[in-house]
């Protein structure tokens, strides 16, 4: 596990988590997402921490789940098909259910749970686009800043044979409005800054350098909190999230429930594979325009 | 029953319902609304259908309930008054309750139920203004397109002695914001494009011909869905509407409950009558400016 | 309309409603149920009333919906079939929907609404068995007394091709427990006194004369309220029903929604007809053992 | 008690409440807030009233809680410390809990309750900035008008060692969006007209004279209601607030619950005191720039 | 304040609170209830505590609010009447509201809040009858043991001109069933052991000595927890109370809301006074038979 | 995977699932539980099925999770400890989280989800005791029959360092009452027939032979459904579970969330291990008395 992909530092009341894989557009494996959740739990337990800040590096904030995990499943799935050539459908379904629960859905539920129930103020600093489960995580953050107009969110669930994940069935309608959410989710469209601004993003810094962007935000935050009584911030977050978190917990469970039959049928796998091949063909450098 | 007022065609995954009474501004009788619900149930049952599209014709999308139904009630009501001249108030109220439940409220509840629980993605193409129960139905749609800046919604409930209907007590605050909803509903004001855009309408096509508008949308939709796995769309709609539908079911019942005493007191009937006479006087051609 | 079937008297803070059709086992038509609702509204508006008491007469408290209404529908339904011989299924469904909404479901919803939202304390005095929608109404009452061990409730929905009605999908699991409710509803079994006592019935008077039973209860009630501040009773009812009524409002709408397709398919009509013929054959005198 | 600080007049269906302390920027003591609630209850009971209008005078709509109340507590708190010099922590906490429940929190809960459950349409006319509990009250109003671009709302809870009050944990996310609310509440930032317009404020009158502003609004309102059936307005408010009020009732209780330990620890008291001294130093005339 | 009326000891994971005023049947003043809440907060904060046990002494567990507080209000109320002889009704209502909020309702809300949100397992050992707010507190406990058949609960709200308090509008229907609750609350009837057993009380020890009863329970508890992993107990309580506490928070607010106008009208005061005089006449020794 | 441990047959509208491992008291591995879920999905999809019946064999209905799975984890856990000897706590936690999510919790969530959302009527035939996750599953069934007085349920979560699982945080308080649930769960006590009867079990057959018991139930069920319209049964189940399922979905997510830190800390593993050793020592034949 390459843990240096996600690192953290503490700076007074700020717990800063940083994504360090600009070369892969900060794509994340299951292990990476669980490690991110582990860091959040570290921040959760630390009584000196009041704000958990997510920063990234390079061109993308995060391009979502890493497609490379697919090749790992080839042998497993071939094995299951061989085991069940005699046609025992129930046995085959049981094995596939176990594979996908473990390989994918259990991670989703866990990471989403940890973000839903995080009691510190969550701040995301979007230096660029954010896709898939990473976009869902940003939608769960309390305050979001954007570097410039190139930032967008993309939830390509309908293109990948998936369904809403990471609480997006609650967070997107609540933050973007129901009809805009339908348009974006049904047709797997990018949600651009004109729609994000004022709804998810609270400030557009109009900068072009990620390091400067991250630095400026931290300076502003330190100024803003000077006269505050910080326990008030956590008490207010608790109140503001009070009814929402129940709803999110419920939908976290329902979302996975609805996704499982699609995984067992092999739809997302095939669509990830196809996307992976397309992506390799175009050599990565125009990856964002393909998503 | 003039069923040709509302027709449908199937085009791949699209079930297209069209209103064909431009001469009456697509006003609808009780029977028409129930027929619209029946068509939705047809779309519901058809496994090939993923999107139910509402189109209209002429200058208005729909001007709401047809005022002509009022004359039908004249004799019935006179009969009830005659039956109870001796002053048996309870008997009179029982009879009036039955008349209005059957004649009006049962239709409202049913049509609203069918729209609330429709599992296909609902798309409305607003070629012009939409009024009353028809506006409530549009507010229940998932994606709404507008032809140009002349489109507006109008819920003249406070002018007609009615109360929120068709789930508007949920959909309008959720989509337009609570305070804008109060301003529009309390004072029976038109909700114009500057307010609809981004909240209910997701795209303004800035066209002037209804046929072209309807055609362009269908072409765009066909392009948009090319790379999609359509079952994902229905699974996502199920998640997005999951908590909302419970709330809508509850309010559908409450809305009718609150409207019933107004009907029994005769308020809406008198106000519809008055409006009908005014409208006839101005000969219909400036009907929209009167609503 | 034979209003003398249901009469009322006022006695201080008590509004006493009495069913007077022992010869028909207090079966009720749509009109009768709406008249009952009208009387409740009378009690609702009267500021001197704190308790609304339901009494009956004869052997049954109420045997539920009157089967005689079926013959009325014969001509209507034949007419609809004739109208649509060419096979226009949508038109046929629209007409049937209208017929059943008006003829049955709109009444159910209304009567249930009025009972759910009644603000006075509802007391039912069960002199004998209670069936169907009348049983649902008793399950909505706040305090229930039974005359003797012959009392039972019966919700024969699964035998009649119906589904839960009158809020029973909430009231029965809440009051009888979920598993007992499943056993009783799924298999259309009588709910006898051993199950009712302590859960729905709060006192078994062990008497054999209905008039005496009704009289004894009223005497006890008058003694019980002597030292009370009656506005406290209504304030407490409001609190106790506060969350419940929201849930009941929601389910009232859902119950009708689920029943409608069964009516449109003609199932309950056929089963009522069949039951009516069976009943006539056995000449009524052993009606209860047949339900 | 200086009741002339808040007066009322009746004008047809309008119950107009006016704040008359421009010299203190309409700051309010506990007594003032309870008197405001009492006036609302007067409007509530009056069957001729359909709209309750809040007007103010001078430069601020209301600068929130009056800091002068602090000096009153000096002796009480000194007494408690003296009583418990022996170190009985539990006894000290009991006494402090009683002091703050009575002195502050019970008033907050009551005033908020009355505003949540007010059944008439609540209209606020913001002639200038509004701060603290007064801002929370405005956020509970149904329709809000602003005089010009100088209007802002400020909830400086995190600066004062408080937490959300007056239902702001519900009303602000619902009306301003969750992320904007977090930014404003966490960092105690002014919510300016660019953010209020369209979300809380429905019309910006762009005027500079408070008397003219108040007068113009009343004239417009009288014109708007001419053709309305006013009972419809109250029925619609009941529906629109139906689920919201349950949520607000719940959060009203939670908000106070979370604030109590902060009061018992003495945080808000110290911060109010400090602010009071700062304010006196700058001689009041630039008070708004300090908040 | 006589704090020795309520004392506590720690015994391993048990935090034992004991009522020590058998001579006054453990009646409690406002101060006493707040002191009880303070002790609960002590138990809450102590990481070694897993179970909070309520024990009492003498014949009653607790006879509820102490009537002696009434005399304190005589002068205050006379003062208010004198202040407002000129007939300023609003001013009078404001003052009365403040008096009762502070003197009674704010205490109720606070104590109830603390019991609702207590995270340790709450165990009540009923050595005898429990009345009023004390009964409400017992209904909020997780496990209840009874000494013998003389134990009963009594909520005489309708006799005192009060309404449900201490969350009884939720806890009693949930634990006793809705209809039994109505019977008990409406008519201010004792809830005896035949009804409590299995619903609120989980074991009847059939003992006659309070000290022995308290001792036997503690011995049994110590045996029961020997093989347990105690953090599991708190995690399970959190889950079991999860939805319930939201509901309780909401109703705590509503209950007080509904009680306030009764207090302002003077009803409970007059009825407490009357009961106090009756009680003095019978010299206390038969107090329970009078409640 | 030994699939013959759980088999199924179809018999008209009945889908009968049978546990066939009497020698291991029908203990179940993760694979077994997922296979059970797969069979439920088979029943779900089959339009001829209306009732899903769970039967077992031998002395126990099911003794819960199979302890043998523990030895499988020995090497994995040793490997994780070795990997992280340098003391990287976050990396260690990430790896442990992944192990337990996959190995245990993802299975629990999935099986619980499938039972929660099963639309056919679920009937459990308890031939003997049922423990742990299997007990949770029985608590999710709609109708439960017991063979004789030896039947009990046991949820030993507090003894194993676990927390509520399989929806028991909802189903047990709903069906057994809150206080009885607390007593049983906190102290890991058997819930015996005197408590189950009437609350979870609807009929005690008082038989001693499992085959006869299973046979008699099927005969009775076939008689009971003779006159039923079976689609009514499924429509009623949908209504009865409507609000409950939302709550169950939410708690399913919360339960796992709370259990995860216990697993990561190694508590349940150690306690399972210890129990496994104890059990081997006593040679299995008195296993039930040890649980």
């Amino acid at each position: 596990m390459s843990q240096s992909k996600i690192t953290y530092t503490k700076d007074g009341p700020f717990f800063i988590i940083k994504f360090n894989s600009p070369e892969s557009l900060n794509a994340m494996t299951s292990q990476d997402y669980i490690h991110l959740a582990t860091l959040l739990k570290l921040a959760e337990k630390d009584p000196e921490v009041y704000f958990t800040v997510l920063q990234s590096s390079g061109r993308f904030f995060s391009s979502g789940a890493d497609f490379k995990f697919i090749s790992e499943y080839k042998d497993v799935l071939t094995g299951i098909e061989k085991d069940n050539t005699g046609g025992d459908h129930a046995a085959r379904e049981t094995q596939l259910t176990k594979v996908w629960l473990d390989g994918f859905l259990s991670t989703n539920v866990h990471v989403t749970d940890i973000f839903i129930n995080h009691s510190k103020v969550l701040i995301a600093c979007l230096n660029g686009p954010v896709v898939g489960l990473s976009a869902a995580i940003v939608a769960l953050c309390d305050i979001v800043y954007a570097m410039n107009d190139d930032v967008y969110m993309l939830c390509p669930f309908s293109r990948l044979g998936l369904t809403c994940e990471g609480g997006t069935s609650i967070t997107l309608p609540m933050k973007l409005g129901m009809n805009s959410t339908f348009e974006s989710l049904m047709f797997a469209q990018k949600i651009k800054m004109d729609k994000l601004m004022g709804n998810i993003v609270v400030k557009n810094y109009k900068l072009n350098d990620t390091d400067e962007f991250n630095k400026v935000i931290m300076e502003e935050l330190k100024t803003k909190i000077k006269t505050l009584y910080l326990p008030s911030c956590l008490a207010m977050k608790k109140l503001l999230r009070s009814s929402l978190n129940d709803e999110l917990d419920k939908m976290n469970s329902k979302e996975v429930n609805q996704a499982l039959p699609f995984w067992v049928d092999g739809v997302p796998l095939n669509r990830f594979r196809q996307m992976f091949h397309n992506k390799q063909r175009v050599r990565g450098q125009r990856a964002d325009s393909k998503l």
Side-chain angles (χ1 to χ4, degrees), chain A residues 161-189:
Chain A
L162 296 170
T163 174
C164 295
E165 63 185 37
T168 46
S169 58
I170 293 289
T171 53
L172 293 188
M174 182 182 73
K175 297 189 173 181
L176 293 177
M178 187 58 91
N179 290 19
S180 297
T181 297
F182 260 93
E183 174 86 355
S184 308
L185 286 185
M186 291 302 138
F187 306 132
Q189 291 180 351

Side-chain angles (χ1 to χ4, degrees), chain A residues 206-274:
Chain A
K206 309 208 174 191
L207 294 172
N208 287 306
D209 180 78
T210 298
D211 289 341
E212 190 194 350
F213 169 64
N214 287 336
K215 203 177 132 218
V216 169
I217 287 176
M218 289 313 302
E219 282 165 3
E220 281 194 13
L221 287 175
K222 284 174 196 170
T223 309
K224 280 179 178 173
I225 67 168
K226 261 184 192 156
T227 59
L228 304 183
Y229 180 64
L230 295 179
S232 283
C233 293
L234 299 194
M236 289 197 291
K237 168 153 186 176
K238 199 172 170 188
L239 289 168
L240 289 163
R241 299 299 290 264
S242 140
S243 327
L244 185 58
N245 282 7
D246 265 14
E247 199 61 22
L248 282 165
D249 275 332
K250 183 176 82 186
M251 293 312 295
N252 190 14
S253 168
K254 287 204 176 184
E255 286 176 357
V256 168
N257 228 13
Q258 287 224 350
L260 186 56
F262 291 177
W263 282 98
V264 169
D265 285 354
V267 182
L269 185 73
N270 291 335
R271 291 188 161 241
F272 268 118
R273 252 183 211 149
Q274 194 177 329

